[in-house]
Amino acid sequence: MILKTQKNDTIVALSTPVGVSAIAVIRLSGENCIAIIEQIWQGKKLSTQAGNTVLFGKIINENKDIIDEVVLALFKAPKSFTKQNVIEISCHGSGYIVQEIIKLCLKNGARLAEAGEFTQRAYLNGQFDLAQAEAIADLIHADSKASHQLAISQMRGGFSNKIKELRENLIKIAALLELELDFSEEDVEFANRTQLLTQVIDLQVVITNMANSFQLGNVMKNGFSVAIMGKPNAGKSTLLNALLEEDRAIVSNIAGTTRDTIEETKIINGIKFRFIDTAGLRETEDTIEKIGIERTLKKIKEAQYILYLFDMNTMTITELEEEEKNIVQPYQIPYCLVGNKIDLIDTKNVEAFEKLPNFIGISMYEPQKIQLLEDFLANYIQHISSQESQIIVNNTRHHQCLLEAADALQVVQNAINHRFATEMIASDLRQAIFHLGSIVGEVTNNDLLDFIFSKFCIGK
Amino acid sequence: MILKTQKNDTIVALSTPVGVSAIAVIRLSGENCIAIIEQIWQGKKLSTQAGNTVLFGKIINENKDIIDEVVLALFKAPKSFTKQNVIEISCHGSGYIVQEIIKLCLKNGARLAEAGEFTQRAYLNGQFDLAQAEAIADLIHADSKASHQLAISQMRGGFSNKIKELRENLIKIAALLELELDFSEEDVEFANRTQLLTQVIDLQVVITNMANSFQLGNVMKNGFSVAIMGKPNAGKSTLLNALLEEDRAIVSNIAGTTRDTIEETKIINGIKFRFIDTAGLRETEDTIEKIGIERTLKKIKEAQYILYLFDMNTMTITELEEEEKNIVQPYQIPYCLVGNKIDLIDTKNVEAFEKLPNFIGISMYEPQKIQLLEDFLANYIQHISSQESQIIVNNTRHHQCLLEAADALQVVQNAINHRFATEMIASDLRQAIFHLGSIVGEVTNNDLLDFIFSKFCIGK
């Protein structure tokens, strides 16, 4: 493993998607990128130009054949994304041209960039910390308002600052303990143990709360999974189609029509929901349907919310409460009871159902009722969000680090409570500091970095 | 139809392909694009910046939420692609972000660009002529060295200059004739009819040659189609696979394995070839095979070259010459006779075959023999190219205009030969001038422009 920190060789990659288009952008970064491009450039001399300028010119090969007329953006170190010299070539969006220009860059001394290598250099050169770098990947993949806002706020450093603040606090405590160690022969306590315990508990609570916000963060990033559950012919596939406003699932009045679970996403109020249509639950002799029901039960267990759909027309409140208790509640997943065909039963009956907690009545023929269901789900997420702190964790690695930091602080508390030696308390505290540090990349190793950046796009 | 020439409203489009990537580029052009972006921009004031600069800043919405941190390239009229104010926003390559930024541009007064509208504005504002604009679309779609070079040379104006030169010559002749018309009552001939005839014939020859180069131009742009023809089990599919170096066509020793014609492209020496594997020609009772053979015959008729494949092991030279005469030559398409299994017959026999013109012996087990066949095809194209003038026409519209110009010049010649009135000669000459002018867009109409630019990418 070569330490990339010291690398200043020139990397090149296509930074826009592959495909025929008006423009494609090829990006280079590295000490020599200006010299490399000057070998294949016809236009104003690059080395004498100021940074942050755009230049019009031609890319030529060794025979002076024109490969393309391009616009070149020149960024001079350290005023660039990677803090190195950077050139961005906007050429015509032809695969052939892109390939020829990259080939010419390679011939003249550049090498192909690995995935995320531009961002990695930016991080290694102090443009931002590791959590901010990771937010860039999240930002690129964001496909809803919620995931986008989360990524932007993390990229802007909100999360990093909070982590750094917590880490500073732990370091201050650790410093006091280290001081005690320096004077260990004199048996003094610079850090009052009761005060110390309170501080550690407070910090642990904050860290644990942040770790817990991962559930919501994960919802915002990857979507909130909602299983549509119910007996055969309750109208589950019709509900999925109504939510998606398209003919996604095959619908028939034959019980057992749906066999494979179908999963589709829909953005409601900026939050991504994953709706899962499942096979209707019943005893069956049909082999394929049996497999479908098995998969359904597994899918429901993994869901974050259940819409239990039933036909209001064929069920009494007592029967419903029976099913709720025996079928729905055992999953221990938040749910609501969705009464279908509300348009077919009389008002008095409706009123009785509406007294149930978690009840929503719908009709596939009344789009505004489907809208009500969507609003209900959106409000549910809103409600969870409002209980969270401002900082929401959406990254598995960060979540893991926070949990480990919280665990380490638990060990610290035990050590204080048992009046263990200062040395041991200090050592456990350093563990917590280490875990927080690895979130923002203040402590790290190359394997971890390679792993993180390998998930980026090439050209980023 | 609104004349777009006078349009200076601001258009916006994504100029890079759709997809998750490091960077996406959103382009705006129009008088107000700077004012529009300033509504959603946090960074240095754009209106006071010099053109050709890049700026780092943020795109924000009406609630000051940050949509993205971007790099903005500013081009001020007339120093831009469209000769209008142009802004290119390089944002993170997320579909969500692109959509949000474009929405904000629309909210603040831009409208979505139509396909090719940026290039159309560049043309209308005199950045280049119509043939050059059309070359940009060709350039973007170029996928081989030959098509790329052709497009580059056309974009750089080589073709346009030649057309303009021809047109100038015709205009000079027309001017003389117009002069005669001014003095028509005096019955003078400013233009000597014999000299006139020679000039018109010379120009017609040049124009006809250019029109004829379309065959080659079309090959360079769209590829050269080569039908692999032969009796069942000659090894046609094996040859296709060998040329493609992959298992494309299903191969078996059962005659009649191939039913659908298979078409695949391969770039050889920078030229794109379209190889067409066809059903083996024989009498058959199999219904599907029959349909296959019918399609084969149709495909062969459309091909530009035939590889007639036969098994050297089972055929005498006399039989081969028989088939050549009865099966291959009736198509009136250039061809060569490809003897398969050359490795299985003795040298003396090989020598006899090699005396045939257009013979190539191959073996699927000897890659260097396949290479020889490829070189043969590449040389064939090279040979055609060398016979052409430097200017090669690759655009159907240009080809059509050239043919019409040549036709008009034929009419001019007839008129001169029959000593028709000067008025008629001048009028026919104006037709030829018109057709040449419409190639470069000196005469045009909006419908034609809309048609041409509608074939461009959005964002170009």
Side-chain angles (χ1 to χ4, degrees):
Chain A
M1 175 56 47
I2 303 156
L3 200 66
K4 291 214 178 95
T5 327
Q6 294 139 351
K7 277 215 166 176
N8 202 6
D9 61 334
T10 298
I11 51 175
V12 61
L14 174 67
S15 286
T16 46
V18 171
V20 167
S21 61
I23 306 180
V25 180
I26 295 167
R27 184 189 263 179
L28 296 102
S29 175
E31 202 170 353
N32 293 324
C33 75
I34 295 174
I36 288 172
I37 294 303
E38 282 200 322
Q39 302 298 312
I40 59 169
W41 170 252
Q42 235 175 40
K44 285 187 187 163
K45 196 167 165 59
L46 300 178
S47 48
T48 59
Q49 297 295 313
N52 286 29
T53 38
V54 286
L55 300 149
F56 180 77
K58 300 178 195 76
I59 298 292
I60 52 166
N61 69 11
E62 53 279 20
N63 305 323
K64 310 279 177 215
D65 297 329
I66 295 166
I67 303 303
D68 201 6
E69 296 184 345
V70 304
V71 170
L72 184 152
L74 180 67
F75 303 86
K76 291 203 168 170
K79 288 173 89 177
S80 79
F81 177 61
T82 59
K83 298 205 168 192
Q84 303 179 325
N85 289 333
V86 166
I87 286 179
E88 287 181 2
I89 300 171
S90 296
C91 62
H92 288 96
S94 133
Y96 179 82
I97 290 175
V98 166
Q99 178 194 319
E100 291 301 305
I101 296 179
I102 290 181
K103 268 195 224 161
L104 286 171
C105 293
L106 298 181
K107 253 188 215 167
N108 285 284
R111 70 167 170 80
L112 280 179
E114 291 166 33
E117 200 170 353
F118 292 95
T119 312
Q120 188 170 15
R121 289 191 175 191
Y123 156 68
L124 292 171
N125 293 327
Q127 181 75 277
F128 35 62
D129 68 40
L130 195 55
Q132 287 175 299
E134 287 173 290
I136 294 177
D138 287 344
L139 187 62
I140 288 173
H141 290 97
D143 57 0
S144 67
K145 193 174 175 189
S147 58
H148 170 256
Q149 283 181 334
L150 209 54
I152 280 277
S153 124
Q154 187 177 323
M155 187 178 79
R156 308 265 313 141
F159 174 64
S160 298
N161 290 340
K162 186 69 194 170
I163 294 292
K164 284 173 193 159
E165 181 196 317
L166 291 169
R167 190 161 173 269
E168 295 293 314
N169 286 334
L170 288 176
I171 288 173
K172 271 184 210 152
I173 299 172
L176 275 182
L177 292 174
E178 307 280 346
L179 210 58
E180 278 181 19
L181 290 176
D182 288 346
F183 294 86
S184 58
E185 286 173 16
E186 299 173 29
D187 197 24
V188 287
E189 270 190 12
F190 288 95
N192 173 299
R193 288 301 181 265
T194 319
Q195 272 180 21
L196 187 63
L197 192 62
T198 319
Q199 283 175 322
V200 169
I201 290 174
D202 285 353
L203 288 170
Q204 195 202 17
V205 168
V206 174
I207 290 171
T208 307
N209 282 345
M210 281 177 89
N212 289 343
S213 76
F214 178 64
Q215 204 203 345
L216 179 66
N218 198 36
V219 162
M220 289 181 164
K221 187 169 164 184
N222 298 316
F224 185 68
S225 64
V226 177
I228 305 175
M229 182 181 173
K231 289 201 289 196
N233 256 348
K236 297 181 291 300
S237 298
T238 311
L239 175 58
L240 179 73
N241 290 347
L243 285 165
L244 300 179
E245 293 167 80
E246 61 167 307
D247 252 4
R248 174 61 182 86
I250 301 169
V251 169
S252 84
N253 55 8
I254 302 163
T257 300
T258 303
R259 286 166 164 180
D260 288 305
T261 57
I262 298 176
E263 189 168 331
E264 287 293 337
T265 59
K266 177 171 186 173
I267 311 259
I268 303 172
N269 280 12
I271 307 273
K272 183 156 79 177
F273 286 81
R274 304 182 168 278
F275 289 105
I276 305 151
D277 181 21
T278 61
L281 302 172
R282 64 164 178 179
E283 295 297 318
T284 177
E285 289 308 309
D286 183 306
T287 321
I288 304 177
E289 197 185 343
K290 255 187 190 165
I291 298 172
I293 291 176
E294 259 167 49
R295 291 195 181 166
T296 288
L297 295 174
K298 192 164 167 283
K299 271 281 175 193
I300 294 172
K301 273 182 203 147
E302 294 165 3
Q304 291 164 299
Y305 199 83
I306 293 171
L307 295 180
Y308 189 75
L309 191 68
F310 66 96
D311 184 343
M312 289 177 78
N313 219 15
T314 61
M315 210 184 290
T316 65
I317 291 188
T318 323
E319 284 167 348
L320 177 64
E321 284 176 332
E322 197 74 8
E323 287 186 3
E324 182 183 7
K325 201 177 126 209
N326 297 327
I327 303 178
V328 189
Q329 287 178 344
Y331 283 100
Q332 296 185 296
I333 294 171
Y335 65 91
C336 78
L337 305 169
V338 182
N340 193 8
K341 307 191 185 167
I342 196 169
D343 50 324
L344 297 184
I345 66 168
D346 62 41
T347 323
K348 220 170 123 188
N349 222 332
V350 169
E351 280 168 6
F353 273 109
E354 281 177 342
K355 278 178 194 142
L356 294 172
N358 290 334
F359 169 84
I360 291 186
I362 63 164
S363 158
M364 306 298 177
Y365 303 102
E366 294 174 37
Q368 72 277 22
K369 288 264 168 34
I370 302 293
Q371 185 63 51
L372 280 180
L373 178 60
E374 291 184 3
D375 292 347
F376 176 85
L377 287 170
N379 286 337
Y380 178 79
I381 301 285
Q382 210 76 51
H383 178 68
I384 308 178
S385 316
S386 65
Q387 296 173 328
E388 292 293 342
S389 60
Q390 284 235 291
I391 301 289
I392 296 166
V393 177
N394 71 346
N395 181 301
T396 315
R397 190 181 75 82
H398 301 170
H399 180 227
Q400 197 53 40
C401 290
L402 288 168
L403 289 181
E404 284 171 18
D407 282 353
L409 291 185
Q410 187 58 52
V411 177
V412 171
Q413 287 170 49
N414 297 344
I416 298 172
N417 284 329
H418 292 89
R419 304 207 67 79
F420 281 177
T422 308
E423 248 164 358
M424 294 185 66
I425 303 175
S427 152
D428 294 331
L429 208 49
R430 276 194 295 268
Q431 277 298 312
I433 293 170
F434 170 86
H435 290 302
L436 292 185
S438 68
I439 292 177
V440 287
E442 302 213 357
V443 288
T444 186
N445 66 62
N446 275 328
D447 287 341
L448 175 67
L449 288 188
D450 282 348
F451 175 74
I452 290 172
F453 287 103
S454 69
K455 292 183 291 181
F456 275 67
C457 309
I458 297 276
K460 187 65 221 178
Chain B
M1 173 61 44
I2 302 157
L3 200 67
K4 288 206 176 107
T5 326
Q6 294 138 351
K7 279 215 165 176
N8 201 6
D9 61 335
T10 298
I11 51 177
V12 61
L14 174 65
S15 286
T16 46
V18 171
V20 167
S21 61
I23 305 179
V25 180
I26 295 165
R27 186 189 262 177
L28 297 100
S29 175
E31 202 170 353
N32 294 325
C33 75
I34 295 174
I36 288 172
I37 294 302
E38 281 199 323
Q39 303 298 313
I40 60 170
W41 169 252
Q42 235 175 39
K44 284 186 188 164
K45 195 165 166 59
L46 301 178
S47 49
T48 59
Q49 297 295 312
N52 286 29
T53 38
V54 286
L55 300 149
F56 181 78
K58 299 178 196 81
I59 298 291
I60 51 167
N61 68 10
E62 54 277 20
N63 304 323
K64 310 277 177 217
D65 297 328
I66 295 166
I67 302 304
D68 201 6
E69 295 184 347
V70 304
V71 170
L72 183 152
L74 181 67
F75 303 85
K76 290 202 168 171
K79 290 174 88 178
S80 79
F81 177 62
T82 58
K83 299 207 169 192
Q84 304 180 325
N85 288 334
V86 166
I87 286 179
E88 288 181 2
I89 300 171
S90 296
C91 62
H92 288 95
S94 134
Y96 178 82
I97 289 174
V98 166
Q99 177 194 322
E100 290 301 305
I101 295 178
I102 291 182
K103 267 196 223 161
L104 286 171
C105 293
L106 299 180
K107 253 188 216 168
N108 286 282
R111 70 167 170 81
L112 279 181
E114 289 166 34
E117 199 169 356
F118 292 94
T119 313
Q120 188 170 16
R121 289 190 175 193
Y123 156 68
L124 292 171
N125 293 328
Q127 180 74 278
F128 36 61
D129 69 37
L130 195 54
Q132 288 175 299
E134 287 174 289
I136 294 178
D138 286 344
L139 187 63
I140 288 173
H141 289 96
D143 57 2
S144 68
K145 194 176 172 187
S147 56
H148 169 255
Q149 282 181 336
L150 209 55
I152 280 276
S153 127
Q154 187 176 324
M155 186 178 79
R156 307 266 313 141
F159 174 65
S160 299
N161 290 339
K162 186 70 195 167
I163 293 294
K164 283 173 195 159
E165 181 195 317
L166 291 168
R167 191 163 174 266
E168 295 293 314
N169 287 334
L170 289 176
I171 287 173
K172 272 182 211 154
I173 301 173
L176 276 182
L177 292 174
E178 306 282 348
L179 209 57
E180 280 181 18
L181 290 175
D182 288 347
F183 294 86
S184 57
E185 286 174 16
E186 301 172 30
D187 197 24
V188 288
E189 267 190 15
F190 289 95
N192 172 301
R193 288 300 181 265
T194 320
Q195 273 181 22
L196 188 64
L197 192 60
T198 320
Q199 284 176 320
V200 169
I201 290 175
D202 285 353
L203 288 170
Q204 195 202 14
V205 167
V206 174
I207 290 171
T208 307
N209 281 345
M210 281 178 89
N212 289 343
S213 76
F214 178 63
Q215 204 201 343
L216 180 65
N218 197 36
V219 163
M220 289 182 163
K221 187 168 163 185
N222 299 316
F224 184 67
S225 63
V226 177
I228 304 174
M229 182 181 173
K231 288 200 290 197
N233 255 351
K236 298 180 291 301
S237 299
T238 312
L239 176 57
L240 179 73
N241 289 348
L243 285 165
L244 300 178
E245 293 167 82
E246 62 167 302
D247 253 3
R248 173 63 182 83
I250 300 169
V251 170
S252 83
N253 55 8
I254 302 164
T257 301
T258 303
R259 288 167 162 177
D260 288 306
T261 56
I262 299 178
E263 187 169 335
E264 286 292 337
T265 61
K266 178 172 184 171
I267 312 262
I268 302 173
N269 280 12
I271 308 273
K272 183 157 78 178
F273 285 82
R274 305 181 168 279
F275 291 103
I276 305 152
D277 180 21
T278 61
L281 302 173
R282 63 162 179 181
E283 296 297 318
T284 178
E285 289 308 307
D286 184 306
T287 322
I288 302 175
E289 197 184 343
K290 257 189 191 163
I291 298 172
I293 291 175
E294 260 169 49
R295 292 197 179 166
T296 287
L297 295 174
K298 190 164 170 281
K299 271 280 172 193
I300 294 173
K301 273 182 206 146
E302 294 166 1
Q304 290 163 298
Y305 199 82
I306 292 172
L307 295 180
Y308 189 75
L309 191 67
F310 66 97
D311 185 342
M312 290 177 77
N313 220 14
T314 61
M315 210 183 290
T316 65
I317 290 188
T318 323
E319 284 168 348
L320 177 62
E321 285 175 334
E322 197 73 9
E323 287 187 4
E324 181 182 6
K325 202 179 123 207
N326 297 328
I327 303 179
V328 188
Q329 287 177 346
Y331 283 100
Q332 297 185 295
I333 294 170
Y335 64 90
C336 78
L337 304 169
V338 182
N340 193 7
K341 306 192 187 167
I342 196 169
D343 51 325
L344 297 185
I345 67 166
D346 61 43
T347 324
K348 225 173 117 186
N349 222 332
V350 169
E351 279 168 7
F353 273 110
E354 279 177 346
K355 279 180 193 142
L356 294 171
N358 289 334
F359 169 85
I360 290 187
I362 63 162
S363 159
M364 306 299 178
Y365 302 103
E366 295 174 35
Q368 72 276 21
K369 288 264 169 29
I370 301 294
Q371 183 63 48
L372 280 180
L373 178 60
E374 292 185 3
D375 292 346
F376 176 86
L377 289 169
N379 286 336
Y380 178 80
I381 302 286
Q382 210 75 48
H383 179 68
I384 310 178
S385 317
S386 65
Q387 297 173 326
E388 293 293 344
S389 60
Q390 284 233 292
I391 300 289
I392 296 165
V393 176
N394 72 344
N395 181 302
T396 316
R397 189 180 75 81
H398 302 169
H399 180 226
Q400 198 54 40
C401 291
L402 287 168
L403 289 180
E404 285 172 15
D407 283 353
L409 290 185
Q410 189 57 52
V411 178
V412 171
Q413 287 169 48
N414 298 344
I416 297 172
N417 284 329
H418 292 91
R419 303 205 68 81
F420 282 180
T422 307
E423 248 163 357
M424 294 185 65
I425 304 175
S427 152
D428 294 330
L429 210 47
R430 275 194 295 270
Q431 277 298 310
I433 294 170
F434 171 85
H435 290 303
L436 292 185
S438 67
I439 292 177
V440 287
E442 301 214 356
V443 288
T444 187
N445 66 60
N446 275 330
D447 287 341
L448 176 68
L449 288 188
D450 282 349
F451 174 74
I452 290 172
F453 288 102
S454 68
K455 291 184 292 180
F456 275 66
C457 309
I458 297 275
K460 185 67 220 176

